[in-house]
Amino acid sequence: MPYEELSKLFYKDGSPDRYRVNSEKARERLSAESTFRSGIVFNEDELFLAMPRELSVIIERVLRRERKASAAFKALPPIAQGAFTRSLIIDEVVCSNGIEGVRSTRRQVSDVLDEVKHGDSADGLKSKRFKEFAKLYLGLSEKTSVMPHSPEDIRGIYDLLMAGEDLDGNTPDGRLFRKDPVDIIDGRGRTAHSGVNPERRIIEMVESMLSLQENEEVPQICSAVMAHYVFEAVHPFYDGNGRTGRYLLALALSDPLSVSTALSLSRVIAENKESYYQAFKTVQHPMNHGELTFFVMRMLEYVLEAQANNIERLELRRGQMEGARSAARLAVGSDEVNEKGGDLLFMFAQVQLFGWTPEVLLTDAANYLSLSPQMARKHLKTLEEKGLIETLSQRPLKFQLSARGRGLMGLLEGE
């Protein structure tokens, strides 16, 4: 018999004592030995996670697919790994902003990443907006980010994520969070949920969320998703809760799962925005009594989709990359280019296949060849004279494969 929402069982029950039956079933689920209780109460109901067969199967599928996704990523050479990870960061920032109606372009985020890495932006200006946001995700990808352990840590992350944003009077006005009540309005202009109030209670709930996230008695991928629900339901800030919550979720999932999986969730959520918001409403339905089971299952389904997307992309492009590797060797063997030139062509091919854009910075090419920028520039100039690469910009100096170079490497237009 399939495991169903308590609210659905309630509406199926036409008996006069269905309210009593609903309450009894909720108590049974809450008190079951396999249930993970959070100790966190909303509207007199303690949030809890039951462990039905369906959830056990989803967790197992996530773990199995994660092994496959991780193996596909690790099979790539470092340049391809870096290009792929960078493209995920760009998508994650853009999609997380887009869910909240904040417009950002992939070019903006790409330029910000260049600025963070090399200290120079494409337009020569220091762009503050999205810079700290991108740096946080870059830190996550490099495993240098630290999990928050206190409400103060959460506020610090929020300040970085929202740096450069015009909050239009929505700056947190309490000691750490907001002072006044807030209502979350749905697409029809109705109040879908009210955030926790006053600030003292917000701080208590954030502390409870962090304790839940650190609870080693709860499966880590489940506690990360449960904590995500708590953060969004508490709604500690006037603005920016969604972006902050999704970053915290990615950070929490980057420990039990791979970074590439953790960096792929916002795109899937953006493509399933209505069902994402509906998952919150399911928990908040009074007849469901704070059960998080279906919320967790929905979020893990998004994880499965993110993993599948990454595996498909990596496996497809890996075959093309091996063809490019062979083409570079042939070019060296036929004296079309020297060995350094062949290395560069293979680098360019990897970036084209796995990156968001096919562009390669002079500094990155120099690092790849373990040469000074001046020496690397000589090898790049030779490739340019042969018509195999072309200059994209002067500041910063960027190159990409030309049409002839793509042909030589076996890459079709647009790949």
Side-chain angles (χ1 to χ4, degrees):
M1 184 176 179
Y3 190 79
E4 293 190 85
E5 295 172 23
L6 288 167
S7 59
K8 290 183 178 179
L9 293 173
F10 172 80
Y11 290 122
K12 287 179 181 179
D13 187 351
S15 66
D17 61 346
R18 60 180 182 166
Y19 284 94
R20 177 187 61 78
V21 172
N22 174 262
S23 296
E24 286 180 358
K25 285 184 179 294
R27 280 194 297 272
E28 287 174 9
R29 291 187 179 186
L30 179 65
S31 59
E33 288 186 3
S34 60
T35 291
F36 296 100
R37 299 179 64 162
S38 71
I40 300 172
V41 176
F42 280 96
N43 300 322
E44 301 182 357
D45 288 315
E46 180 183 351
L47 297 176
F48 70 94
L49 176 69
M51 191 57 65
R53 175 182 176 276
E54 290 89 337
L55 178 54
S56 297
V57 170
I58 290 177
I59 292 172
E60 177 64 17
R61 288 178 63 204
V62 166
L63 295 177
R64 286 187 181 187
R65 192 170 288 177
E66 183 56 37
R67 288 193 287 272
K68 189 174 182 181
S70 182
F73 180 78
K74 289 177 180 177
L76 300 177
I79 289 296
Q81 287 183 357
F84 184 67
T85 301
R86 178 188 170 97
S87 72
L88 293 180
I89 294 172
I90 292 170
D91 265 359
E92 191 71 5
V93 173
V94 170
C95 291
S96 191
N97 280 335
I99 293 168
E100 307 304 319
V102 177
R103 186 179 182 278
S104 55
T105 66
R106 285 170 174 78
R107 170 51 61 191
Q108 270 182 307
V109 180
S110 180
D111 287 346
V112 164
L113 288 174
D114 286 344
E115 183 179 335
V116 168
K117 189 173 180 180
H118 302 287
D120 196 10
S121 60
D123 56 8
L125 301 174
K126 297 298 179 183
S127 54
K128 187 176 181 182
R129 196 179 187 206
F130 308 132
K131 183 175 180 178
E132 298 300 329
F133 196 166
K135 281 174 69 175
L136 281 172
Y137 276 105
L138 191 62
L140 190 156
S141 74
E142 295 172 348
K143 290 286 189 177
T144 58
S145 298
V146 179
M147 288 293 298
H149 297 290
S150 68
E152 288 78 8
D153 291 342
I154 297 291
R155 175 57 193 271
I157 288 171
Y158 171 85
D159 287 341
L160 291 174
L161 284 166
M162 303 302 286
E165 291 290 298
D166 180 7
L167 293 175
D168 192 25
N170 287 324
T171 302
D173 51 3
R175 184 173 72 85
L176 293 173
F177 305 113
R178 58 177 167 78
K179 231 173 17 176
D180 295 330
V182 294
D183 291 327
I184 295 86
I185 308 301
D186 65 18
R188 299 181 182 179
R190 300 176 302 189
T191 298
H193 174 68
S194 295
V196 169
N197 212 57
E199 188 188 20
R200 170 186 55 78
R201 180 66 175 147
I202 294 175
I203 292 173
E204 290 173 358
M205 295 288 269
V206 169
E207 288 173 338
S208 297
M209 176 204 80
L210 293 169
S211 296
L212 170 62
Q213 194 165 266
E214 296 168 358
N215 188 347
E216 295 182 358
E217 299 299 314
V218 182
Q220 199 172 10
I221 57 175
C222 293
S223 63
V225 175
M226 293 167 74
H228 178 62
Y229 174 83
V230 175
F231 181 86
E232 299 298 347
V234 171
H235 215 76
F237 304 104
Y238 294 115
D239 190 20
N241 294 281
R243 283 172 281 177
T244 306
R246 284 186 293 277
Y247 169 75
L248 293 173
L249 175 62
L251 180 59
L253 286 176
S254 67
D255 187 19
L257 303 177
S258 63
V259 167
S260 56
T261 295
L263 286 173
S264 304
L265 274 179
S266 286
R267 171 183 275 277
V268 177
I269 290 172
E271 292 170 350
N272 298 274
K273 191 161 63 170
E274 291 304 314
S275 66
Y276 173 66
Y277 289 137
Q278 183 58 46
F280 285 93
K281 292 179 182 178
T282 297
V283 183
Q284 293 155 9
H285 194 294
M287 294 297 107
N288 284 327
H289 298 278
E291 181 171 8
L292 285 165
T293 310
F294 296 93
F295 179 83
V296 172
M297 287 197 290
R298 177 61 56 82
M299 294 298 295
L300 293 186
E301 286 170 356
Y302 295 154
V303 171
L304 284 168
E305 186 174 340
Q307 291 169 323
N309 291 342
N310 287 344
I311 291 168
E312 181 181 13
R313 179 179 170 190
L314 289 172
E315 290 183 343
L316 172 66
R317 300 298 172 92
R318 186 183 174 195
Q320 295 171 311
M321 180 193 72
E322 292 305 327
R325 189 199 301 269
S326 297
R329 288 172 180 163
L330 286 172
V332 173
S334 65
D335 293 330
E336 173 77 15
V337 296
N338 62 21
E339 189 171 336
K340 292 293 186 184
D343 290 342
L344 283 171
L345 287 176
F346 184 49
M347 178 194 189
F348 276 87
Q350 291 178 69
V351 173
Q352 173 136 353
L353 285 168
F354 294 97
W356 171 68
T357 62
E359 59 198 39
V360 172
L361 286 158
L362 168 62
T363 47
D364 289 335
N367 290 335
Y368 180 63
L369 295 176
S370 299
L371 296 174
S372 68
Q374 291 80 8
M375 290 300 298
R377 182 69 183 92
K378 292 180 180 179
H379 292 287
L380 289 163
K381 185 177 180 182
T382 299
L383 293 179
E384 198 167 19
E385 289 172 348
K386 289 179 175 288
L388 296 172
I389 66 171
E390 56 194 11
T391 301
L392 275 177
S393 70
Q394 292 293 333
R395 185 175 179 188
L397 196 52
K398 295 180 182 179
F399 306 87
Q400 69 174 8
L401 287 172
S402 65
R404 180 168 184 265
R406 290 194 297 274
L408 181 69
M409 300 302 287
L411 303 179
L412 300 176
E413 186 70 32
E415 287 185 342

